[in-house]
């Protein structure tokens, strides 16, 4: 074996599934020196996770590729609930919207993981100008952390050995097939009923001396996004805690031939006594069926795995046919299939020394039916990426890294609870009548489904108080923070910034506010001055801008001298006067900065006014902001709301940023 | 010189600008054997035409790439009119919407031609699976038409010799530069003040014996889309007829540094005595300025060209500065510049024997300010492409090809008239007061601008009566056709099908109706059965469907036996009952055909009903269709409306298609 040269990187990512790719996308966008490795030789081509939440699409849009998913995906609009009637015959009991109306500008859609990985790979390549790409067939074999230097911002406390596999070793035992081709693809190689194949791959690698090289990598930070059998988690000695049941479910991705009328809707179908089916209509005429194969529950420890040798696509289809009777269902095209056992487990810890982090399946596993796993996994590293980038650049103190675990562990637990409840409701037998206490009533199920939809949208996430979320603490509620929140009741501290349309003052183009909050690592201060025709509001705005303009302001002192004026903190203005009565020269210069090559900046000042073609979203009214009072809002680089306050309360703004940003007035920090 | 082997193609396209590329896109989509050649060695990189009409975006969307233009383009929402006030000082006199609200689901945007060519090239590559690509540096040198075989559908009456140039010859004298780079690019090499460089290129080619090869191509059909100096037009002996003036305009594409507040809006600026400027804000911070350089008019023959040696970017900028005073304007980045002389000319004929066609600048030239040229050019070949494809496939008789000239010559004349009027209004001196009869009044100009916007949208196009537009003739109006039109007053015969949102019956997803009318060469019959809960309407629908289902129906007999059921004529249904009360099995099978591999077709039946997230567009109400009466509509492959009639009037439908489609019951035609 050859020991290749030692290599220093800012961040090393283990695993190139959705969580790892999201992290790499952030780091590429922020210009951080990054490597991302995966033990498998190829990306995913079909099957696997496929639901995309509203919030995930908002995140994709912030990186510029939501439209690719939106165009290719199947849009899932409606849920139909089917249950046995009094005589035991299957009937549609109700239809409800799949996405709660008004919750987001996107609705939940379905697209297979291979396409989503493709969008990430393209974005990483574009943002990094080709300098970051996934290194496949690379297996980490040892991890050391120098605990004496973990608090030194400039240190590389992590040492990892990486082994490069031969192509043959890196290829999972998987039939090559095109997406939606007619070849049958056995998904079991990657399902949670499979044994962990990492050990096999190391053994296999050792046998193949020629292809094998080992290199040592030194990193400042590391992410383990290497799945439910996470090697990183095991090296850190962290546990996945929880339970599993004996409920076994099969999954078929087919082009169905059926007289069941609702096959292109999301359906929850409970038969009287043959179990349940969930229908997920997909892209390219495919439909995914989640089909219950066993109907008894026996909760046990996580290691108790059911025998799976009896499971074949035919067995799964026959189950579906029994459940769906009297409707007929069969197929000529099978794209992928698998089977899994329901279990819910969550990681004991999400980070070691705020140097090595875990994300995705490495810290939470659960059943796939609610379409949450991939979404929550990507949102883990969406939470983490900008924090690591900001610290690596020397712009913020390491203290913000603690918020990764404090913010995401709660989400993982909520996910596990949601899935636990949802799975049992779904796997249970429907109640025969109101006296049937063991069965699950249609009404209870429907209510759980509707409530679950809010969680499943990803919009309900509400991060707690921290150095980067200035909200009242639960136990010691602060009057001034509560009063501040009342200035914009619908811009909720700790939650993601909502979005309505506003017009650019310079060209009258309507933009969804979120479209202005691109993921590029920048903090945003949004000034809502209200009606600037009011003398009082104009005066307050001017007073604020005078303070923003001096060299000691937080806008200037936290921005490296050689960087663009909006690279660390961008100021956007949304006023409530009439668009036609104003132009950008009515606003102080700090709100529309001048550049000697590009002239004035025409993309900072917006207005809440009627558009020519897309109506008027009435931002001030909708969000409860008074146009004679206004407010100012701070938004994190991941679009979560940090702060709401008075427009002329400069000191509170300054104090907020001073809590974690580092002054840049001296020489530029190492690592920038 | 080497004579390469003779090659037979269905269609040969000369010129790979927007008109030629649109033609190639159609033919690639329809699977027609096609070659497209261009004498230049590269595509356009910057400068050139840049406005995209609403209708052009609708067409792009029908090929699947409107979103690419929509995302990259600058959206131009508002027009500001600036004029001298009573004291001669420049003031904004009004602001109006750039696109008439409600006219289309798209609004006019601006993006440079190089990007648009890129979208076409990608679409052609995708649709043809790489079999069609632009052959650059290829010059036609001779054209022969065998007039004895022009009416034989299987003949190849066209013989063209093509000369392959060396790279050096094919490269125009142009500084290589990146888009929006700081290098100055002289656009004069391609403006209409330049001498035709074709002759130079032939001469140059003859000198370069080594790189030179000549091949002979035999074609069934040919398109000359080779620009204002069209070689094809000259070979055919056709003329461009019209006039030019002495008004000279300069064009600068710059990143402006200015205190003029409306620089990001489309502006028409008339100074008191220094001439006019039109501002067109563009993508990537660029702004295009059309700047009047001379203020005297002298109309003359087309060959009278002004001396251009005095025109430089500095001269053009100084003109702009005079006109815009007291506002200041300068730049540090100049992307492109050119100058042109106003003229309007239209081709004497658009086709020779319905075998060789001309499109785009080859048959109409005019001033660029209204942003029409590229749009009308692409719409020429959008009108032609599917007709040629349908005839080549043996599906329709050659008679439909006559409609190319009858439909497009009228449009070209309307364009020339529009531009003639618009240019003179724009180049004229503004009236000092109401008594100033030589000057142009602000009110007249504003009204012309607003009226011009309807023409400029591309939506107003209204094709006349023909074998493929069953409308009342102007002079001999038919009572039955007028009565039929009254069944759907807002679906206007001869105009493009309007678009509102409808829901898919199977999955409740909202679609803009136009999104269902993809450009793939297929005719559509749209059945609007109204409320199918009405016994009468259900009976009428059943009666129609019984006739559609028999082997002798037009659906079956014009479709080749081996082709898919919807390949020639697709039937779509949009009913007006409640979505939730129905499923596709409530409709006759011919409206949701069965395929033994894919099952039922879930994408044929739609409903005019409330959506969960996108409102309710009230199709029946908006278009004046009675839900107790309904109607049936035939739409051409290019989305223009051919026929409106009663839902159970099968015979009129059959008669319409029998007028030009060819029965396919025998063996498959040659050329399919």
């Amino acid at each position: 074996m050859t020991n290749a040269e030692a290599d220093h990187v800012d961040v090393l990512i283990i695993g190139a599934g959705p969580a790892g790719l999201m992290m790499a996308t952030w780091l590429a966008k922020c210009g951080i020196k990054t490597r991302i490795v995966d033990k498998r030789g190829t990306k995913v081509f079909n099957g696997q996770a496929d639901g995309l939440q509203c919030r995930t699409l908002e995140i994709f849009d912030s990186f510029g590729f939501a439209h690719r998913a939106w165009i290719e995906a199947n849009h899932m609009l409606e849920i139909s609930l089917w249950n046995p009637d009094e005589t035991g015959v299957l009937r549609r009991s109700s239809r409800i919207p799949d996405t709660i109306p008004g919750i987001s500008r996107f609705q939940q859609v379905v697209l297979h993981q291979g396409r989503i990985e493709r969008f990430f790979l393209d974005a990483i390549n574009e943002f990094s100008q080709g300098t970051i790409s996934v290194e496949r067939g690379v297996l980490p074999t040892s991890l050391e952390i120098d605990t004496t230097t973990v608090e030194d911002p400039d240190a590389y406390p992590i040492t990892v050995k990486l082994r490069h596999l031969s192509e043959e070793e890196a290829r999972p035992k998987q039939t090559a097939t095109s997406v939606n081709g007619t070849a049958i693809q056995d998904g079991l190689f990657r399902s949670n009923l499979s044994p962990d194949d990492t050990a096999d791959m190391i053994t296999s690698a050792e046998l193949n001396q020629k292809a094998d090289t080992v290199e040592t990598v030194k990193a400042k930070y590391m992410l383990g996004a290497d799945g439910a059998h996470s090697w990183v988690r095991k090296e850190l000695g962290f546990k996945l805690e929880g339970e599993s049941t004996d409920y076994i479910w099969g999954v078929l991705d087919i082009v169905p031939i059926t007289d069941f009328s609702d096959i292109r809707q999301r359906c929850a179908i409970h038969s009287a006594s043959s179990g349940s089916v969930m229908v997920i209509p997909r892209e390219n005429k495919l439909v995914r069926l989640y089909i219950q194969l066993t109907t008894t529950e026996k909760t046990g420890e996580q290691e108790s795995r059911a025998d799976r040798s009896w499971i074949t696509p035919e067995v799964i289809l026959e189950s579906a046919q029994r459940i769906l009777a009297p409707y007929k269902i069969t197929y000529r095209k099978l794209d992928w299939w698998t089977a899994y056992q329901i279990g819910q487990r969550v990681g004991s810890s999400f980070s070691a020394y705020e140097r090595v982090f875990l994300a995705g399946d490495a810290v939470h596993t659960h059943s796939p039916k609610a379409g949450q796993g991939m979404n929550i996994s990507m949102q883990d590293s969406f939470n983490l990426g900008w924090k690591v980038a900001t610290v690596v650049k020397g712009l913020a103190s390491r203290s913000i890294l603690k918020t990764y675990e404090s913010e995401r562990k709660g989400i993982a637990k909520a996910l596990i609870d949601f899935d636990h409840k949802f799975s049992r409701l779904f796997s249970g037998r429907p109640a025969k009548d109101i006296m049937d206490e063991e069965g699950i009533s249609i009404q209870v199920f429907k209510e759980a489904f509707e409530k679950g939809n809010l969680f499943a949208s990803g919009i309900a996430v509400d991060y707690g108080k921290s150095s980067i979320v200035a909200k009242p603490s639960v136990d010691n509620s602060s009057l001034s923070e509560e009063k501040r929140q009342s200035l914009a009741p619908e811009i909720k501290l700790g939650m993601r910034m909502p979005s309505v349309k506003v017009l650019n003052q310079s060209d009258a183009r309507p933009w969804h506010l979120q479209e202005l909050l691109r993921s590029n690592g920048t903090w945003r201060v949004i000034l809502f001055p209200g009606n600037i025709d009011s003398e009082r509001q104009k005066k307050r705005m001017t007073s604020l801008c005078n303070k923003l303009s001096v060299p000691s302001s937080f806008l200037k002192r936290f921005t490296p001298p050689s960087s663009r004026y909006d690279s660390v903190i961008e100021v956007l203005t949304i006023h409530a006067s009439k668009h036609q009565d104003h132009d950008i020269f009515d606003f102080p210069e700090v709100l529309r900065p001048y550049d000697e090559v590009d002239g004035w900046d025409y993309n900072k000042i917006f207005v809440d006014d009627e558009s020519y073609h897309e109506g008027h979203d009435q931002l001030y009214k909708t969000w409860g902001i008074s146009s004679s009072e206004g407010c100012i809002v701070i938004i994190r680089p991941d679009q979560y709301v940090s702060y709401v306050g008075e427009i002329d309360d400069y000191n509170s703004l300054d104090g907020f940023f001073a809590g974690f940003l580092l002054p840049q007035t001296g020489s530029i920090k190492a690592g920038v």
Side-chain angles (χ1 to χ4, degrees), chain A:
Chain A
M1 276 183 222
T2 316
N3 279 303
E5 76 206 89
D7 187 12
H8 285 61
V9 295
D10 290 325
V11 186
L12 174 64
I13 303 169
I14 309 294
L21 291 170
M22 175 66 84
M23 186 74 174
T25 301
W26 254 132
L27 299 172
K29 186 75 189 178
C30 294
I32 304 300
K33 189 177 178 192
T34 302
R35 285 181 65 180
I36 173 169
V37 303
D38 195 288
K39 65 184 176 185
R40 292 177 189 280
T42 60
K43 74 171 189 69
V44 165
F45 291 109
N46 55 2
Q48 307 291 346
D50 59 1
L52 291 174
Q53 298 177 347
C54 306
R55 180 60 190 149
T56 300
L57 286 162
E58 292 179 359
I59 292 169
F60 284 4
D61 191 58
S62 77
F63 286 116
F65 58 80
H67 65 282
R68 296 184 67 183
W70 192 250
I71 289 170
E72 289 190 25
N74 184 58
H75 292 216
M76 208 159 58
L77 275 302
E78 205 167 50
I79 301 176
S80 290
L81 306 179
W82 287 71
N83 289 282
D85 66 9
E86 316 77 48
T87 64
V89 177
L90 215 51
R91 302 271 179 216
R92 184 194 303 126
S93 58
S94 59
R95 277 176 167 170
I96 56 176
D98 184 67
T99 302
I100 299 167
I103 205 170
S104 168
R105 63 203 161 102
F106 295 103
Q107 290 91 47
Q108 181 166 319
V109 301
V110 179
L111 183 64
H112 83 88
Q113 186 174 333
R115 291 304 301 155
I116 292 157
E117 294 187 6
R118 168 52 49 210
F119 307 151
F120 275 119
L121 295 170
D122 291 347
I124 292 165
N125 184 58
E126 180 194 335
F127 296 158
S128 74
Q129 300 184 302
T131 62
I132 303 174
S133 59
V134 175
E135 302 167 53
R136 300 193 188 274
V138 176
L139 194 67
T141 57
S142 79
L143 165 63
E144 283 168 41
I145 304 172
D146 177 359
T147 57
T148 63
T149 62
V150 291
E151 292 307 326
D152 173 1
D154 298 327
Y156 291 79
I158 301 161
T159 305
V160 176
K161 286 202 171 141
L162 296 176
R163 179 175 295 167
H164 294 250
L165 307 177
S166 71
E167 197 187 335
E168 188 191 340
E169 296 161 334
R171 193 188 311 125
K173 284 161 203 81
Q174 174 179 12
T175 327
T177 180
S178 63
V179 179
N180 310 324
T182 48
I184 293 172
Q185 176 119 359
D186 176 354
L188 291 177
F189 77 95
R190 233 182 146 173
S191 96
N192 65 356
L193 290 179
S194 299
D196 183 348
D197 55 7
T198 307
D200 285 350
M201 292 177 85
I202 293 179
T203 314
S204 158
E206 281 169 354
L207 294 176
N208 191 345
Q209 297 278 335
K210 274 188 226 163
D212 211 15
T213 60
V214 172
E215 63 173 328
T216 302
V217 176
K218 294 266 189 188
K220 285 184 171 171
Y221 294 92
M222 176 169 164
L223 177 68
D226 48 348
H229 304 292
S230 173
W231 174 87
V232 178
R233 186 186 69 227
K234 286 173 190 163
E235 287 290 305
L236 296 174
F238 296 164
K239 300 282 179 215
L240 267 190
E241 293 159 352
E243 58 179 32
S244 58
T245 73
D246 266 1
Y247 287 131
I248 295 177
W249 286 72
V251 184
L252 290 181
D253 281 354
I254 59 174
V255 177
I257 301 176
T258 183
D259 58 358
F260 178 71
S261 65
D262 290 359
I263 199 71
R264 294 301 308 172
Q265 308 201 335
R266 183 170 166 201
C267 294
I269 303 164
H270 283 85
S271 70
S273 55
S274 302
S276 300
V277 164
M278 177 173 277
V279 176
I280 305 283
R282 296 186 48 185
E283 69 279 13
N284 295 329
K285 300 181 184 166
L286 285 172
V287 171
R288 171 165 293 184
L289 300 176
Y290 289 102
I291 301 149
Q292 194 172 356
L293 299 180
T294 60
T295 55
T296 56
E297 176 176 14
K298 190 181 80 185
T299 303
E301 283 310 301
Q302 63 187 85
E303 297 309 321
S304 74
R305 294 284 179 188
D307 170 46
R308 64 167 180 133
S309 60
W310 56 280
I311 303 175
T312 65
E314 292 69 33
V315 165
I316 302 175
L317 178 65
E318 281 160 18
S319 250
Q321 288 168 333
R322 274 195 302 276
I323 297 164
L324 271 166
Y327 299 102
K328 307 220 176 307
I329 185 162
T330 184
Y331 63 81
R332 291 273 295 271
K333 287 186 187 164
L334 169 62
D335 187 55
W336 187 77
W337 68 278
T338 190
Y340 65 90
Q341 196 172 350
I342 291 179
Q344 292 90 19
R345 297 195 296 281
V346 64
S348 54
S349 185
F350 281 43
S351 138
Y353 314 103
E354 281 80 57
R355 284 287 180 177
V356 181
F357 301 91
L358 296 173
D361 289 353
V363 276
H364 40 74
T365 66
H366 50 90
S367 72
K369 276 194 308 298
Q372 292 302 295
M374 181 171 67
N375 292 279
I376 304 280
S377 296
M378 291 188 285
Q379 287 166 30
D380 284 345
S381 46
F382 184 67
N383 180 289
L384 178 64
W386 66 271
K387 295 174 183 173
V388 170
T390 308
V391 171
V392 167
K393 284 178 152 180
L395 298 172
S397 77
R398 278 182 33 81
S399 66
I400 67 168
L401 299 176
K402 285 191 192 298
T403 63
Y404 173 63
E405 179 166 308
S406 69
E407 292 180 341
R408 296 308 297 177
K409 198 169 181 180
I411 302 298
K413 282 182 174 163
L415 167 64
I416 280 359
D417 291 347
F418 168 73
D419 187 59
H420 186 270
K421 186 175 167 189
F422 190 74
S423 292
R424 276 158 183 76
L425 274 177
F426 205 74
S427 299
R429 175 181 60 75
K432 291 194 182 70
D433 53 46
I434 200 166
M435 301 300 292
D436 177 4
E437 289 184 3
E438 274 186 22
I440 290 155
S441 92
I442 295 176
Q443 196 52 33
V444 166
F445 185 75
K446 187 184 169 194
E447 282 165 16
F449 224 99
E450 286 176 327
K451 206 170 158 193
N453 270 1
L454 178 59
F455 180 83
S457 71
I459 304 298
V461 167
D462 184 1
Y463 293 142
K465 180 181 174 68
S466 71
S467 65
I468 55 174
V469 177
K471 78 200 284 190
S473 42
V474 176
D475 45 355
N476 178 22
S477 107
S478 147
L479 209 62
S480 72
E481 279 153 345
E482 278 184 3
K483 191 179 155 217
R484 284 182 195 155
Q485 172 72 82
S486 73
L487 293 169
E490 297 305 318
I491 302 179
K492 293 184 194 296
L493 289 164
M495 298 185 74
R496 76 91 167 83
M497 186 72 181
S499 191
V500 295
K501 283 180 190 161
V502 294
L503 309 186
N504 184 313
Q505 175 62 50
S506 297
D507 64 10
R509 176 171 176 182
W511 290 93
H512 245 291
L513 178 52
Q514 274 187 0
E515 293 179 281
L516 309 176
L517 309 178
R518 295 273 174 227
S519 289
N520 57 7
T522 301
W523 285 80
R524 268 94 184 188
V525 171
I526 306 192
L527 172 62
F528 295 92
N531 179 3
I532 61 159
D533 297 329
S534 138
E535 271 311 307
R536 173 168 178 264
Q537 289 304 96
K538 190 148 195 180
K539 214 175 270 178
R540 296 174 78 202
M541 176 171 77
T542 307
S543 154
L544 172 74
C545 290
N546 288 343
K547 289 173 184 158
L548 290 176
S549 306
V550 299
S552 63
S553 87
F554 64 85
L555 274 192
K556 317 275 177 179
R557 77 179 192 275
F558 297 126
T559 302
S562 61
S563 296
R564 206 178 124 99
Y565 49 80
D566 57 5
S567 60
V568 178
I569 302 169
E570 178 181 34
V571 182
L572 299 172
T573 301
I574 304 173
H575 72 90
S577 315
K578 299 307 285 177
H579 155 66
Q580 291 225 357
D581 295 345
H582 292 281
D583 63 52
I584 65 165
F585 296 107
D586 295 338
F587 293 81
E589 179 163 331
V590 71
L591 303 181
R592 46 165 179 94
Y594 180 79
D595 177 273
E596 61 179 15
V597 175
D598 289 340
W600 307 102
D601 194 325
Y602 298 102
N603 296 306
K604 303 298 191 203
I605 298 176
F606 297 82
V607 50
D608 173 19
D609 200 355
E610 182 87 25
S611 68
Y612 286 117
H613 308 281
E614 301 176 34
H616 184 182
D617 276 0
Q618 300 277 5
L619 179 151
Y620 276 72
K621 196 172 157 195
T622 306
W623 292 348
I625 305 172
S626 158
S627 66
S628 60
E629 195 60 41
C631 71
I632 199 160
V633 173
I634 299 176
I635 300 173
R636 307 183 347 177
D638 58 1
Q639 301 182 338
Y640 285 80
V641 179
S642 288
Y643 171 96
V644 175
E646 303 274 351
I647 68 172
D648 46 5
D649 183 5
Y650 172 85
N651 290 343
S652 293
L653 297 172
D654 196 296
F656 173 79
F657 284 115
F660 58 93
L661 288 183
L662 300 175
Q664 303 290 320
T665 43
S667 61
I668 296 177
K669 292 262 162 185
V672 174

